[in-house]
Amino acid sequence: DLFTPQTTVNEQPLWDLFGSGQYLAERTKMEQLKSANPTWIPSADLVDKLQDAEAREAMRIAYNTGNWTQVIAIAQTQNSILVCTDIEALWQLGEAFARVHNYARSFDVYKYVLVNCADPTERLSTMQKATALLPQPGIDSLVLLGRPQPDGTSEFADISFDKLRSDLAATKSRAVRDEQAG
């Protein structure tokens, strides 16, 4: 608009605060710049990235305190953080759904990772997390999403037996305890 006064605000100090994880200081600085330059609007890229970073931080705090419903609420509000490049957010959401016994939604999150994300280490970690949280039918279904390896086996061939192994170990441990107590 030719008739709207233009302002030239250097956003670099805001990006510097963002880069160092000082989100509250960045919000404060944005408000100061808006007050000093009433026609200035921060770039959409800066605003979007700041909102995502704040959501990730809030989600991490909720996750660390075991506030599963809050983890889910944050993810639903700021679903732009639910991408392969932010695998931690996906893992936190998958666990949160499992912890509130919504196994179908937990399965969906883990399936999303296995269908859409390429990093082999993250895929294996996703399966390990799912194995610890999901019922066996969900694990069995996720194992089928394993990619073939050069030797023809699935990348998750060993995972399918992990839960069985841990169940057998727990049974054996209980039997030993019972025998010692008996």
Side-chain angles (χ1 to χ4, degrees):
D1 185 356
L2 297 174
F3 300 104
T4 302
Q6 299 295 313
T7 61
T8 54
V9 172
N10 179 9
E11 286 189 349
Q12 188 57 50
L14 296 170
W15 283 107
D16 293 342
L17 290 169
F18 177 81
S20 63
Q22 299 179 52
Y23 309 130
L24 183 57
E26 182 178 1
R27 284 277 179 202
T28 302
K29 182 74 172 169
M30 284 173 103
E31 291 307 315
Q32 291 169 350
L33 288 171
K34 284 180 186 178
S35 293
N37 305 283
T39 60
W40 174 70
I41 299 172
S43 68
D45 188 38
L46 179 66
V47 172
D48 291 346
K49 287 184 175 159
L50 178 58
Q51 288 172 341
D52 285 351
E54 289 170 331
R56 275 196 285 306
E57 180 67 13
M59 196 167 168
R60 183 189 60 75
I61 291 168
Y63 175 84
N64 288 342
T65 59
N67 189 341
W68 310 120
T69 56
Q70 185 66 21
V71 169
I72 295 166
I74 292 166
Q76 290 172 334
T77 302
Q78 196 71 26
N79 61 15
S80 56
I81 64 174
L82 301 177
V83 293
C84 295
T85 55
D86 197 354
I87 198 75
E88 285 291 327
L90 289 164
W91 288 340
Q92 291 169 356
L93 179 60
E95 183 172 346
F97 277 128
R99 298 288 182 189
V100 298
H101 306 290
N102 190 339
Y103 298 112
R105 294 297 303 274
S106 181
F107 173 87
D108 289 342
V109 173
Y110 293 127
K111 179 181 175 186
Y112 171 87
V113 172
L114 298 178
V115 168
N116 296 293
C117 304
D119 184 291
T121 304
E122 291 175 350
R123 291 172 55 78
L124 179 59
S125 295
T126 299
M127 274 305 305
Q128 290 167 335
K129 290 173 183 300
T131 300
L133 296 165
L134 293 180
Q136 192 63 46
I139 296 165
D140 294 341
S141 294
L142 291 175
V143 165
L144 297 174
L145 298 174
R147 295 181 177 164
Q149 300 302 294
D151 66 1
T153 63
S154 168
E155 70 183 314
F156 303 137
D158 290 338
I159 295 285
S160 59
F161 295 105
D162 282 354
K163 186 153 178 72
L164 179 60
R165 286 182 196 122
S166 69
D167 290 347
L168 286 173
T171 301
K172 184 175 181 177
S173 177
R174 278 191 302 274
V176 169
R177 270 195 322 262
D178 291 347
E179 185 177 299
Q180 289 172 348

